[in-house]
Amino acid sequence: MPSNVRPLADAPLSGTWSCPLPLRDYPTIVIGHGGGGQLGNELVEHLFKPAFSNDALDRMADSTVLALPPGRIAYSTDSFVVRPLEFPGGSIGALAVNGTVNDLAMSGARPLYLSAGFILEEGLPMAVLGRIVTDMAAAAREAGVRIVTGDTKVVERGHGDGCYINTSGLGVIADGIDIAPQRAEVGDVVLVSGTIGDHGMAIMSVREGLEFDTTIVSDCASLASLVADMLAVTPDIHVLRDPTRGGLASSLNEIAAASGVGIVIRESALPVLPQVASACEILGMDPVFVANEGKLLAIVPPQHAMDMLAAMRAHPRGANAAIIGEVTASHPGMLVARTAIGAQRVIAMQLGEQLPRIC
């Protein structure tokens, strides 16, 4: 272990959570909580329903009836298996809401509704589940979405990893917006909304019991309001992408391939926190491949680039936004980085993941 890396203390990562009656009689999840009987009903009535309460959910019907405004529907689903369940800057609960909200926002949609499916492992402390659910409710409020339906299953001890969550989401895309990975054009400008690699390094520090000189905090956050501000600059945004698994490099490689263009980025323009850069150096990782959960890439026509950058920097989620590159006709389907000394290197898609189970 490097000399400047220390074991983490065992202190809890999240705040305290008060267990409502009668859940205090069950300090951990038991098989009966997934059996459809009284225990399951108590879990719903005393934990999920109060946390997520809204008109649609509170009807407690077998399906939820929703009214959707005019426009095209965006629909997305994702499953979250992050380990550990709680980490600096978030939890699997916040991640499950923000991940699906951001997937909807990346198509230019206004996120409206989410479903939440829980797979809980027997023995999961009720206090941990309580904090996860509290984080989900807070993330949903911040993103302006409602959790309107859900499901809970319990698996035997040793057959899960505490808690897995699936969320699906619905949003509406206004007329005049056409954002897709295939729309990058030669001459377009590439922007990123902030520092890269924060989430992956935050997870790594906790998972491996490492603490660096400065705490690395996940960037887990909703990007819906940032996207709304960007669309107010112009609806003519060609591509949006949240660079989660595989990081910035994988996302830009996918866009280059989908659009049949080349993308060039300037390494000196990439915003990376010093503590993230140090951690990556120690662990032998490249921050361009490290996951983010609260950042986006935007590819826009050049005439909108400076106004878009200003709008992003005016938003709390885009304070460190930067122009990092451009779309080119050279080397179609490839991502190339220009180094500080003027050299160029191809950044290919990685075969696997540097960090599994990060979302």
Side-chain angles (χ1 to χ4, degrees):
M1 178 182 298
S3 59
N4 60 340
V5 179
R6 303 187 304 274
L8 275 176
D10 293 332
L13 293 165
S14 300
T16 58
W17 176 77
S18 298
C19 187
L21 287 172
L23 292 178
R24 66 168 58 178
D25 296 333
Y26 302 94
T28 63
I29 289 293
V30 299
I31 289 293
H33 282 121
Q38 185 175 348
L39 287 181
N41 287 337
E42 289 180 353
L43 198 64
V44 171
E45 290 293 332
H46 296 283
L47 180 58
F48 296 123
K49 189 175 173 183
F52 304 148
S53 179
N54 56 69
D55 292 344
L57 180 70
D58 291 350
R59 292 185 183 128
M60 300 302 291
D62 285 345
S63 62
T64 296
V65 179
L66 304 171
L68 294 173
R72 291 162 293 155
I73 301 300
Y75 179 41
S76 183
T77 188
D78 204 347
S79 298
F80 299 86
V81 296
V82 65
R83 179 174 60 85
L85 299 178
E86 298 174 279
F87 46 83
S91 70
I92 191 173
L95 201 59
V97 170
N98 292 328
T100 294
V101 163
N102 291 345
D103 284 345
L104 294 170
M106 293 308 106
S107 60
R110 179 166 63 94
L112 296 172
Y113 303 111
L114 295 182
S115 69
F118 294 82
I119 297 177
L120 307 177
E121 182 182 2
E122 181 186 20
L124 174 70
M126 195 66 75
V128 173
L129 179 60
R131 293 196 296 268
I132 289 170
V133 170
T134 300
D135 282 355
M136 290 185 74
R141 285 194 299 272
E142 181 178 350
V145 298
R146 295 193 293 170
I147 298 172
V148 294
T149 188
D151 181 56
T152 303
K153 296 292 188 298
V154 178
V155 297
E156 293 87 350
R157 192 184 300 268
H159 289 258
D161 208 356
C163 176
Y164 301 143
I165 301 175
N166 172 273
T167 50
S168 296
L170 287 173
V172 174
I173 305 173
D175 292 340
I177 295 173
D178 181 15
I179 299 172
Q182 295 79 13
R183 291 205 62 218
E185 297 179 3
V186 174
D188 281 355
V189 174
V190 182
L191 302 96
V192 66
S193 64
T195 55
I196 60 172
D198 302 4
H199 177 71
M201 284 298 100
I203 295 293
M204 186 69 177
S205 65
V206 177
R207 185 183 297 173
E208 300 302 323
L210 306 178
E211 186 178 72
F212 302 94
D213 292 338
T214 303
T215 301
I216 301 175
V217 178
S218 169
D219 59 353
C220 179
S222 164
L223 298 169
S225 61
L226 173 60
V227 171
D229 286 359
M230 294 170 66
L231 288 170
V233 174
T234 175
D236 190 22
I237 297 173
H238 289 171
V239 184
L240 290 174
R241 176 66 64 90
D242 56 338
T244 54
R245 285 181 300 175
L248 176 144
S250 295
S251 293
L252 290 179
N253 266 300
E254 291 170 358
I255 294 167
S259 294
V261 297
I263 296 179
V264 176
I265 58 173
R266 294 180 294 280
E267 286 187 332
S268 60
L270 296 176
V272 184
L273 289 174
Q275 57 269 36
V276 171
S278 296
C280 286
E281 185 175 356
I282 291 169
L283 299 169
M285 297 179 176
D286 189 334
V288 299
F289 289 106
V290 179
N292 313 271
E293 288 294 344
K295 302 291 163 41
L296 64 79
L297 292 163
I299 296 181
V300 302
Q303 65 269 27
H304 299 306
M306 295 312 297
D307 288 342
M308 191 63 70
L309 179 64
M312 294 168 75
R313 287 180 171 173
H315 191 282
R317 303 294 183 206
N320 295 310
I323 292 175
I324 60 170
E326 53 274 335
V327 179
T328 175
S330 302
H331 48 76
M334 298 172 63
L335 172 65
V336 170
R338 190 172 297 144
T339 69
I341 60 173
Q344 292 190 352
R345 67 181 178 106
V346 174
I347 304 179
M349 185 90 75
Q350 287 200 318
L351 182 62
E353 287 186 86
Q354 286 193 125
L355 297 173
R357 303 283 303 276
I358 47 82
C359 65

